[in-house]
PDB file of all heavy atoms in Angstrom:
ATOM      1  N   MET E   6      56.319 105.290  97.630  1.00 81.00           N
ATOM      2  CA  MET E   6      57.598 104.748  98.093  1.00 81.00           C
ATOM      3  C   MET E   6      58.745 105.685  97.776  1.00 81.00           C
ATOM      4  O   MET E   6      59.658 105.884  98.567  1.00 81.00           O
ATOM      5  CB  MET E   6      57.866 103.390  97.419  1.00 81.00           C
ATOM      6  CG  MET E   6      57.189 102.218  98.084  1.00 81.00           C
ATOM      7  SD  MET E   6      57.419 102.211  99.842  1.00 81.00           S
ATOM      8  CE  MET E   6      58.518 100.820  99.993  1.00 81.00           C
ATOM      9  N   PRO E  25      72.280 125.911 106.600  1.00 86.00           N
ATOM     10  CA  PRO E  25      73.464 126.543 107.211  1.00 86.00           C
ATOM     11  C   PRO E  25      74.271 127.359 106.201  1.00 86.00           C
ATOM     12  O   PRO E  25      74.777 128.427 106.524  1.00 86.00           O
ATOM     13  CB  PRO E  25      74.281 125.355 107.721  1.00 86.00           C
ATOM     14  CG  PRO E  25      73.308 124.250 107.853  1.00 86.00           C
ATOM     15  CD  PRO E  25      72.267 124.477 106.813  1.00 86.00           C
ATOM     16  N   GLY E  36      77.650 143.803 107.096  1.00 81.00           N
ATOM     17  CA  GLY E  36      78.712 144.601 107.717  1.00 81.00           C
ATOM     18  C   GLY E  36      78.315 144.863 109.146  1.00 81.00           C
ATOM     19  O   GLY E  36      77.544 144.114 109.731  1.00 81.00           O
ATOM     20  N   ASP E  37      78.822 145.957 109.720  1.00 75.00           N
ATOM     21  CA  ASP E  37      78.487 146.291 111.101  1.00 75.00           C
ATOM     22  C   ASP E  37      76.986 146.490 111.253  1.00 75.00           C
ATOM     23  O   ASP E  37      76.384 146.021 112.199  1.00 75.00           O
ATOM     24  CB  ASP E  37      79.229 147.565 111.521  1.00 75.00           C
ATOM     25  CG  ASP E  37      80.661 147.231 111.873  1.00 75.00           C
ATOM     26  OD1 ASP E  37      80.927 146.038 112.163  1.00 75.00           O
ATOM     27  OD2 ASP E  37      81.518 148.126 111.847  1.00 75.00           O
ATOM     28  N   THR E  50      91.712 143.058  98.369  1.00 90.00           N
ATOM     29  CA  THR E  50      92.540 144.248  98.568  1.00 90.00           C
ATOM     30  C   THR E  50      93.626 144.020  99.605  1.00 90.00           C
ATOM     31  O   THR E  50      94.629 144.725  99.608  1.00 90.00           O
ATOM     32  CB  THR E  50      91.682 145.456  99.011  1.00 90.00           C
ATOM     33  OG1 THR E  50      90.895 145.036 100.112  1.00 90.00           O
ATOM     34  CG2 THR E  50      90.786 145.929  97.882  1.00 90.00           C
ATOM     35  N   LEU E  98      97.190  97.466 105.734  1.00 87.00           N
ATOM     36  CA  LEU E  98      98.320  98.322 106.102  1.00 87.00           C
ATOM     37  C   LEU E  98      98.054  99.767 105.703  1.00 87.00           C
ATOM     38  O   LEU E  98      98.372 100.698 106.436  1.00 87.00           O
ATOM     39  CB  LEU E  98      99.588  97.848 105.389  1.00 87.00           C
ATOM     40  CG  LEU E  98     100.445  96.817 106.086  1.00 87.00           C
ATOM     41  CD1 LEU E  98     101.780  96.700 105.380  1.00 87.00           C
ATOM     42  CD2 LEU E  98     100.670  97.182 107.545  1.00 87.00           C
ATOM     43  N   GLU E 107      93.482 111.978 113.229  1.00 84.00           N
ATOM     44  CA  GLU E 107      94.510 112.731 112.520  1.00 84.00           C
ATOM     45  C   GLU E 107      95.484 113.366 113.502  1.00 84.00           C
ATOM     46  O   GLU E 107      96.694 113.367 113.290  1.00 84.00           O
ATOM     47  CB  GLU E 107      93.846 113.813 111.666  1.00 84.00           C
ATOM     48  CG  GLU E 107      94.828 114.472 110.729  1.00 84.00           C
ATOM     49  CD  GLU E 107      94.224 115.619 109.949  1.00 84.00           C
ATOM     50  OE1 GLU E 107      93.044 115.947 110.175  1.00 84.00           O
ATOM     51  OE2 GLU E 107      94.948 116.196 109.124  1.00 84.00           O
ATOM     52  N   MET E 149     104.962 116.514 103.174  1.00 92.00           N
ATOM     53  CA  MET E 149     105.059 115.086 103.411  1.00 92.00           C
ATOM     54  C   MET E 149     103.917 114.606 104.304  1.00 92.00           C
ATOM     55  O   MET E 149     103.283 113.586 104.025  1.00 92.00           O
ATOM     56  CB  MET E 149     106.411 114.775 104.060  1.00 92.00           C
ATOM     57  CG  MET E 149     106.681 113.307 104.203  1.00 92.00           C
ATOM     58  SD  MET E 149     107.703 113.008 105.632  1.00 92.00           S
ATOM     59  CE  MET E 149     106.618 113.552 106.918  1.00 92.00           C
ATOM     60  N   VAL E 166      89.870 101.273  89.976  1.00 93.00           N
ATOM     61  CA  VAL E 166      89.907 101.324  88.508  1.00 93.00           C
ATOM     62  C   VAL E 166      90.949 100.358  87.941  1.00 93.00           C
ATOM     63  O   VAL E 166      90.737  99.765  86.889  1.00 93.00           O
ATOM     64  CB  VAL E 166      90.170 102.727  87.912  1.00 93.00           C
ATOM     65  CG1 VAL E 166      88.936 103.574  88.015  1.00 93.00           C
ATOM     66  CG2 VAL E 166      91.360 103.396  88.509  1.00 93.00           C
ATOM     67  N   ALA E 177      99.755  93.093  76.003  1.00 93.00           N
ATOM     68  CA  ALA E 177      99.649  93.372  74.577  1.00 93.00           C
ATOM     69  C   ALA E 177     100.515  94.574  74.219  1.00 93.00           C
ATOM     70  O   ALA E 177     101.239  94.563  73.222  1.00 93.00           O
ATOM     71  CB  ALA E 177      98.195  93.634  74.193  1.00 93.00           C
ATOM     72  N   ALA E 178     100.454  95.617  75.060  1.00 93.00           N
ATOM     73  CA  ALA E 178     101.259  96.806  74.783  1.00 93.00           C
ATOM     74  C   ALA E 178     102.732  96.445  74.802  1.00 93.00           C
ATOM     75  O   ALA E 178     103.513  96.865  73.933  1.00 93.00           O
ATOM     76  CB  ALA E 178     100.957  97.886  75.812  1.00 93.00           C
ATOM     77  N   LEU E 181     103.697  94.650  71.753  1.00 92.00           N
ATOM     78  CA  LEU E 181     103.777  95.502  70.571  1.00 92.00           C
ATOM     79  C   LEU E 181     104.972  96.456  70.645  1.00 92.00           C
ATOM     80  O   LEU E 181     105.108  97.342  69.819  1.00 92.00           O
ATOM     81  CB  LEU E 181     102.481  96.291  70.408  1.00 92.00           C
ATOM     82  CG  LEU E 181     101.256  95.430  70.082  1.00 92.00           C
ATOM     83  CD1 LEU E 181      99.986  96.233  70.201  1.00 92.00           C
ATOM     84  CD2 LEU E 181     101.381  94.838  68.691  1.00 92.00           C
ATOM     85  N   ILE E 194      97.493 104.853  82.572  1.00 92.00           N
ATOM     86  CA  ILE E 194      96.941 106.147  82.989  1.00 92.00           C
ATOM     87  C   ILE E 194      95.639 106.477  82.262  1.00 92.00           C
ATOM     88  O   ILE E 194      94.663 106.857  82.916  1.00 92.00           O
ATOM     89  CB  ILE E 194      98.009 107.258  82.880  1.00 92.00           C
ATOM     90  CG1 ILE E 194      99.047 107.015  83.977  1.00 92.00           C
ATOM     91  CG2 ILE E 194      97.379 108.641  83.014  1.00 92.00           C
ATOM     92  CD1 ILE E 194     100.202 107.971  83.982  1.00 92.00           C
ATOM     93  N   CYS E 197      92.991 104.559  83.881  1.00 93.00           N
ATOM     94  CA  CYS E 197      92.699 104.932  85.265  1.00 93.00           C
ATOM     95  C   CYS E 197      92.147 106.342  85.398  1.00 93.00           C
ATOM     96  O   CYS E 197      91.918 106.806  86.513  1.00 93.00           O
ATOM     97  CB  CYS E 197      93.965 104.826  86.112  1.00 93.00           C
ATOM     98  SG  CYS E 197      94.516 103.144  86.288  1.00 93.00           S
ATOM     99  N   PRO E 199      89.323 107.942  85.278  1.00 89.00           N
ATOM    100  CA  PRO E 199      88.237 108.263  86.204  1.00 89.00           C
ATOM    101  C   PRO E 199      88.685 108.207  87.661  1.00 89.00           C
ATOM    102  O   PRO E 199      88.342 109.075  88.455  1.00 89.00           O
ATOM    103  CB  PRO E 199      87.185 107.188  85.922  1.00 89.00           C
ATOM    104  CG  PRO E 199      87.523 106.637  84.594  1.00 89.00           C
ATOM    105  CD  PRO E 199      88.997 106.808  84.402  1.00 89.00           C
ATOM    106  N   ILE E 201      91.779 108.583  88.725  1.00 93.00           N
ATOM    107  CA  ILE E 201      92.740 109.662  88.968  1.00 93.00           C
ATOM    108  C   ILE E 201      91.990 110.960  89.227  1.00 93.00           C
ATOM    109  O   ILE E 201      92.299 111.700  90.162  1.00 93.00           O
ATOM    110  CB  ILE E 201      93.692 109.810  87.764  1.00 93.00           C
ATOM    111  CG1 ILE E 201      94.609 108.594  87.669  1.00 93.00           C
ATOM    112  CG2 ILE E 201      94.503 111.084  87.872  1.00 93.00           C
ATOM    113  CD1 ILE E 201      95.502 108.582  86.455  1.00 93.00           C
ATOM    114  N   GLY E 204      90.064 110.686  92.619  1.00 93.00           N
ATOM    115  CA  GLY E 204      91.040 110.697  93.709  1.00 93.00           C
ATOM    116  C   GLY E 204      91.665 112.068  93.884  1.00 93.00           C
ATOM    117  O   GLY E 204      91.829 112.557  94.996  1.00 93.00           O
ATOM    118  N   GLN E 237      89.195 134.267 111.865  1.00 86.00           N
ATOM    119  CA  GLN E 237      88.151 135.267 111.716  1.00 86.00           C
ATOM    120  C   GLN E 237      86.966 134.954 112.622  1.00 86.00           C
ATOM    121  O   GLN E 237      86.416 135.827 113.257  1.00 86.00           O
ATOM    122  CB  GLN E 237      87.678 135.368 110.253  1.00 86.00           C
ATOM    123  CG  GLN E 237      88.696 135.993 109.319  1.00 86.00           C
ATOM    124  CD  GLN E 237      89.068 137.413 109.726  1.00 86.00           C
ATOM    125  OE1 GLN E 237      88.304 138.108 110.378  1.00 86.00           O
ATOM    126  NE2 GLN E 237      90.272 137.825 109.343  1.00 86.00           N
ATOM    127  N   GLY E 247      84.650 135.846 108.192  1.00 90.00           N
ATOM    128  CA  GLY E 247      84.900 134.399 108.137  1.00 90.00           C
ATOM    129  C   GLY E 247      83.984 133.719 107.151  1.00 90.00           C
ATOM    130  O   GLY E 247      84.410 132.873 106.365  1.00 90.00           O
TER     131      GLY E 247
END
Side-chain angles (χ1 to χ4, degrees):
Chain E
M6 277 312 251
D37 281 340
T50 51
L98 270 192
E107 190 185 3
M149 187 210 64
V166 285
L181 293 169
I194 290 177
C197 293
I201 291 175
Q237 289 300 335

